[in-house]
Every structure is written in structure tokens, then in C-alpha cells.
Amino acid sequence: MIDIHIVLQVICDDIFLISWVRCRLLSKKNWFIQEKSCKILTLIISARQYEEIDSEDPSAPQKKVDSFNEVLRAVVDWLISQMRSPAHPTRGIPTAVSSLATLLRITKVRAIFIKADGTKLLAPLITPASNQQYIQLLYEATLCIWLLSFHDGAVEAFSTARVVPRLVDVVKSSTKEKVVRVAVMAFRNLANKGNFAAELVDLGMPKVVQSLKLQTWSDEDLSQALDVVDAALKDSIRKLSSFDKYKAEVFSGNLDWSPMHKDPVFWRENISKFEENDFQVLRVLITLLDNSRDPKTLAVACHDIAQFIQIHPAGRGIILDLKAKERVMKHMSHPDPEVAKQALLCVQKILLSAKYASYMQ
């Protein structure tokens, strides 16, 4: 049996053949021709491994290197154009992402794609999927993110495009092992870059990782990647002070019943830090009462405001000055019983002195 990659390597020894396919066929108005040409180009480029040619190597044919780099840029530009404005309503984007999932194995293609701001077009595709067609697209898009995560230039691009929160949502909801695998592998690469570890902590990934580690996976690489991510997140948590962690959680807009909320020691040791930046953390906490629709976030916010009133010497007055009483009171009739309970306890502390409010716990 003839190996297609060997055949392609022989064919593409002439760089001008690739240029001809790119210039003549990708520009055709017929989608069938465009799609097949894209797949042929992807196979040729990936088979030839031109990325190994070093332009500084005196033995390398400079003309061939320059020509191939030009082809790479042109192909990436075409793929990005399909993601931005697909020539085919249902096949344009999947075809582009599928080719990228192959071509991004090449270091030069990663650099070209990031420089062309392609990450912003790729990020919206990282979203939970239900049917098989979209699961495959999600898998290949997530695979692209994993491949890009090897490139240092991806750090800023991922932050700008809000890639990490999207990956977290996918990992939380996906039941497909191959999707979870490439997402976790991306987390493994990102955990030690920039502030991604702290961001993952804020997004609740420690609990997600623990849940994933309890499951049985057939892929050993996934289990190993989970261990690496788990260790990186624990290290990040250790580096953050308790108040830094609390502040990050409040600013994320998603509150949970983590131990520090009900820890008397935390409140006694950190109560003065709530005064920083004109009570910035407290103001955000109060804003959550207006903006959040999550019952758990609302319950925790009411509880924490009550804790502030109880512990801070001037807590009641500060809360009244910030107009928080009315915002808390409207949640006393909330349909969620925990929200209503915490709102009631908070209002009691607003209306009663600390001496009497302590009996209302």
C-alpha cells in the first residue's frame, strides 16, 4: 500500500505547486473546489514539515523558505476569512477549524495565526455542545487552543479573547473524554503562564479538577494532566493570602460557601482590609445583590454583609451610608429559602445593635 504522506512529500518538493493550488484553487467561487483544495494544501503542508527549515541555516534554500512562509501566511489568512465570513453556511467554519487543528502543529503557523488575531474568532466556538456535529467542531476548536497554548504569544491573546472561562465551562459540562482531554491539556500548559492559575482558581477549577479526578478515564495522559493542573492550582492558592482569595472571588461575581465565609478568624483578621480603596470589596459585594441571579451568590453576599456589620466597629453605619439596607431587604421574599434566610439575618443585624444581633444567629 502506498503511503499518501510519502507521495505528498515527493509532489510538494516543488514549492510552486503549493502556490498554484493556493492561488488558483482557493480563489475559485465554487465551494467544492475550495474545500478540497484546502484539504489538499493542509495535507501537503503537514506532510512536508517545512517548518523545520531554518532561514538562518546557510545550507537552506532561502528562496524556498521565503516562498513557503508566504504560502503559510496566505493559507492562514484564507482560513481566518472563512471563520469571519464563511463561503459556505454550514461547511465553511468546520473546514477552516479542521485544517487549523492540523496546521497549528507547525510553530510558524501558530505565530502567524496569533499575529493575525485569529484567536478572537476561535474563542466563540469554545462553548458547550450537544449534537455530534457541534461536538466535533468543539473538539477541533479546543484542540486548536491546546496547540496554541504551546506558543508564548498566546498568553495575551487568550486573556483578551476570554478563552479560559470558556474552556472551564466546556470542562464542567462536557461528557466527551476527547474534549475534556484537550481542554485539560491546555490548562496544563497555561497553569504556569501569566495569571492563568489564579484565574482558574477564581473560576472554581479546583473543585472541577477534584471531581474529574474521581472519574475513570481511559486516557492516561488525561489523568496525568489533571494531576499537574491540580498541583499548579494548589500552589497558586498557597501563594494567595486569604483576603486576596476572598477579593478575587467577590470580583469574579460568583460566590460559594467556601470555608473563609464562615470562619470567625478570617473576619477578625481581615476586617480592616475591607476599608481599602474606599471599601471597594464591600461595594462590589453590595452590587452583586442587584446584578446577580445566582441564589448561592445572593445568599453568600447577604451573609458576608451581615458578617461585616457584626465585626466592623462602624459596620452598621457604613452599610447604611452605602444604601445596602434596601438591597438586602428586597431579597427577604426571595423564592430560594437560603437567600431569604440570609437576607433576614442581615436585615436583623442592620436594625439591631451588635449586642442583640448576635443572639439572632
Side-chain angles (χ1 to χ4, degrees):
M1 182 178 292
I2 299 175
D3 188 333
I4 184 63
H5 287 85
I6 295 176
V7 175
L8 289 171
Q9 285 182 5
V10 174
I11 293 175
C12 70
D13 274 338
D14 188 351
I15 191 65
F16 295 105
L17 174 62
I18 307 179
S19 300
W20 182 83
V21 174
R22 185 262 299 176
C23 296
R24 295 290 300 276
L25 301 183
L26 282 183
S27 60
K28 293 287 185 180
K29 299 299 182 183
N30 185 296
W31 168 250
F32 178 84
I33 296 176
Q34 288 185 9
E35 183 178 28
K36 300 308 176 186
S37 301
C38 175
K39 291 181 178 180
I40 291 171
L41 275 170
T42 300
L43 283 172
I44 292 176
I45 293 170
S46 62
R48 192 60 183 87
Q49 297 296 316
Y50 268 99
E51 71 276 13
E52 295 180 0
I53 298 178
D54 187 349
S55 59
E56 296 181 1
D57 184 353
S59 64
Q62 188 61 46
K63 185 176 181 180
K64 182 175 287 190
V65 173
D66 292 343
S67 298
F68 189 73
N69 288 341
E70 181 183 347
V71 169
L72 288 181
R73 283 191 290 271
V75 172
V76 171
D77 285 344
W78 186 86
L79 294 174
I80 288 177
S81 72
Q82 289 303 305
M83 295 172 66
R84 182 179 291 112
S85 181
H88 190 280
T90 60
R91 292 295 307 151
I93 292 178
T95 297
V97 174
S98 181
S99 292
L100 282 170
T102 298
L103 295 177
L104 286 172
R105 290 176 170 84
I106 303 173
T107 304
K108 288 181 181 178
V109 174
R110 296 173 195 161
I112 293 170
F113 184 79
I114 291 172
K115 187 175 181 180
D117 222 8
T119 312
K120 288 183 179 179
L121 299 172
L122 190 61
L125 303 178
I126 311 297
T127 185
S130 54
N131 65 56
Q132 187 59 43
Q133 178 185 358
Y134 288 108
I135 288 174
Q136 183 61 24
L137 178 60
L138 170 61
Y139 166 68
E140 292 180 334
T142 308
L143 178 59
C144 289
I145 294 296
W146 171 55
L147 292 170
L148 288 170
S149 69
F150 286 96
H151 194 276
D152 290 337
V155 172
E156 183 177 351
F158 282 3
S159 296
T160 303
R162 300 281 295 161
V163 167
V164 172
R166 291 178 176 275
L167 281 177
V168 171
D169 287 342
V170 165
V171 170
K172 286 180 178 179
S173 61
S174 182
T175 58
K176 290 292 183 179
E177 180 170 334
K178 66 179 184 179
V179 175
V180 175
R181 177 181 180 273
V182 288
V184 172
M185 298 282 275
F187 289 144
R188 183 180 67 178
N189 288 350
L190 295 171
N192 295 315
K193 295 181 180 180
N195 295 318
F196 285 121
E199 184 178 359
L200 287 171
V201 172
D202 293 344
L203 293 168
M205 267 305 290
K207 285 187 176 181
V208 177
V209 169
Q210 293 305 315
S211 176
L212 292 175
K213 290 180 70 174
L214 293 175
Q215 300 179 40
T216 302
W217 304 102
S218 60
D219 193 323
E220 291 184 4
D221 288 343
L222 173 54
S223 299
Q224 293 173 2
L226 284 169
D227 289 337
V228 173
V229 173
D230 186 31
L233 295 182
K234 288 178 178 177
D235 183 59
S236 177
I237 291 172
R238 282 194 296 269
K239 290 178 181 178
L240 290 170
S241 71
S242 57
F243 189 74
D244 286 333
K245 287 187 288 184
Y246 178 81
K247 182 177 179 180
E249 183 183 344
V250 172
F251 283 9
S252 75
N254 295 296
L255 304 182
D256 199 356
W257 288 112
S258 50
M260 58 187 163
H261 293 281
K262 295 186 177 182
D263 183 5
V265 176
F266 166 81
W267 287 97
R268 287 197 301 269
E269 292 181 351
N270 294 285
I271 195 65
S272 62
K273 295 181 181 178
F274 280 83
E275 300 175 4
E276 295 174 357
N277 299 319
D278 192 24
F279 297 96
Q280 182 185 33
V281 173
L282 187 61
R283 290 176 185 273
V284 174
L285 201 61
I286 294 171
T287 301
L288 290 178
L289 296 177
D290 291 332
N291 299 335
S292 180
R293 296 295 178 267
D294 176 45
K296 186 179 292 184
T297 295
L298 294 172
V300 176
C302 289
H303 170 273
D304 287 5
I305 292 171
Q307 289 292 90
F308 176 82
I309 296 169
Q310 184 73 19
I311 305 299
H312 196 283
R316 292 175 64 209
I318 294 168
I319 290 297
L320 290 172
D321 287 344
L322 294 177
K323 312 296 183 185
K325 184 178 75 171
E326 294 78 7
R327 300 179 187 182
V328 176
M329 290 181 68
K330 72 179 182 180
H331 292 298
M332 291 172 61
S333 58
H334 196 280
D336 186 280
E338 185 62 24
V339 176
K341 172 187 172 183
Q342 295 299 333
L344 175 61
L345 290 172
C346 185
V347 170
Q348 289 173 344
K349 290 188 177 182
I350 293 174
L351 299 178
L352 301 175
S353 66
K355 175 182 177 181
Y356 296 106
S358 61
Y359 292 105
M360 304 300 292
Q361 295 291 342

